[in-house]
């Protein structure tokens, strides 16, 4: 599958059957100035939790693309009220088989109010199986023992983990998380966007390399294939 980074925690993933977009926060992100949100394709938009830095462009992109919103019940309902009526509500521990593959909504340790103050349910992450691969998108989260369950259930081929510290795990906890989920290929997210979460990218990569793991930091607007 092809993965494009749009900055912060926003990724577009092209599977054989669908374009998935995760946590669209682009237009307020100065680091993502060169990304044109009007050209982003999306059949499904997966939203981990309600914070502004994960939903800022959700409604605009959702309306243009007619994408189906996959999120917790509260966020899917909120998005429906804003005009994205065709959403798919989930809650923690639940799976659903979509045409492109299977999605499970899993735990995150964080908070989740929506930008207008609406209750955003409890925050989560996703385990997605598509094209014969399985990946974990952690959303915003602390390191938690719950991650061990993910590694015990299934082989996770690669994972998106937050590494910016302050609001989420830092790089050291992300390394432990990678052990918990038994995965050596990590794509970093939720770093450098604002002052609280600036990191030393070279140091972060070498910390992973020292443990025999790979930390992939995709340049904004660039793509990789896994
Ligand atoms: Ni958050
Ligand atoms: Mn965040």
């Amino acid at each position: 599958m092809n993965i494009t980074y749009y900055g912060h925690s926003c990724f577009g993933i092209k599977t054989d059957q669908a374009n998935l977009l995760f946590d669209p926060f682009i237009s307020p992100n100065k680091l993502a100035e060169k990304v044109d949100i009007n050209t982003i394709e999306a059949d499904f938009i997966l939203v981990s939790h309600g914070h502004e830095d994960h939903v800022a462009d959700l409604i605009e992109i959702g309306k243009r693309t007619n994408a189906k919103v996959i999120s917790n019940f509260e966020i899917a309902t909120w998005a429906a009220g804003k005009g994205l009526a065709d959403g798919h509500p989930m809650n923690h521990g639940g799976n659903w088989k979509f045409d492109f593959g299977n999605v499970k909504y899993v735990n995150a340790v964080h908070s989740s109010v929506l930008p207008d103050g609406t209750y955003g349910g409890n925050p989560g992450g996703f385990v997605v199986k598509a094209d014969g691969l399985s990946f974990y998108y952690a959303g915003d989260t602390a390191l938690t023992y719950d991650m061990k369950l993910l590694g015990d259930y299934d082989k996770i081929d690669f994972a998106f983990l937050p590494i910016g510290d302050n609001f989420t795990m830092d790089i050291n906890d992300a390394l432990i998380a990678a052990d918990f989920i038994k995965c050596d290929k990590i794509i970093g997210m939720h770093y450098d966007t604002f002052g609280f979460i600036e990191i030393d990218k070279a140091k972060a990569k070498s910390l992973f390399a020292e443990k025999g793991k790979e930390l992939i930091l995709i340049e904004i607007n660039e793509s990789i294939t896994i």
Side-chain angles (χ1 to χ4, degrees), residues 8 48-54 110-112 123 139-140 167-168 190:
H8 201 50
S48 66
H49 66 292
H51 289 158
E52 166 78 8
D53 61 318
H54 299 260
H110 193 67
S111 57
S112 178
D140 283 5
F167 298 115
T168 68
H190 215 273

Side-chain angles (χ1 to χ4, degrees), residues 13-129:
I13 301 184
K14 200 177 190 60
T15 73
D16 288 346
Q17 293 188 44
N19 290 297
L20 314 181
L21 182 67
F22 287 78
D23 283 9
F25 168 82
I26 300 157
S27 54
N29 183 359
K30 285 204 173 67
L31 300 181
E33 269 174 349
K34 60 186 169 183
V35 179
D36 178 3
I37 68 164
N38 296 308
T39 61
I40 293 173
E41 295 175 275
D43 301 304
F44 297 87
I45 305 178
L46 293 85
V47 180
S48 66
H49 66 292
H51 289 158
E52 166 78 8
D53 61 318
H54 299 260
V55 303
D57 297 309
L58 168 63
I59 304 303
E60 187 170 344
I61 295 175
K63 281 185 177 168
R64 177 180 55 78
T65 58
N66 252 326
K68 184 185 280 289
V69 175
I70 303 174
S71 190
N72 68 22
F73 179 82
E74 291 80 2
I75 293 169
T77 303
W78 177 82
K82 303 271 183 195
L84 309 185
D86 190 30
H88 185 100
M90 300 186 75
N91 217 323
H92 299 83
N95 289 276
W96 190 259
K97 265 196 186 2
F98 295 89
D99 286 346
F100 64 86
N102 193 85
V103 175
K104 184 173 190 175
Y105 191 62
V106 299
N107 290 350
V109 175
H110 193 67
S111 57
S112 178
V113 71
L114 284 149
D116 61 7
T118 302
Y119 173 62
N122 288 315
F126 300 96
V127 175
V128 177
K129 291 182 192 171

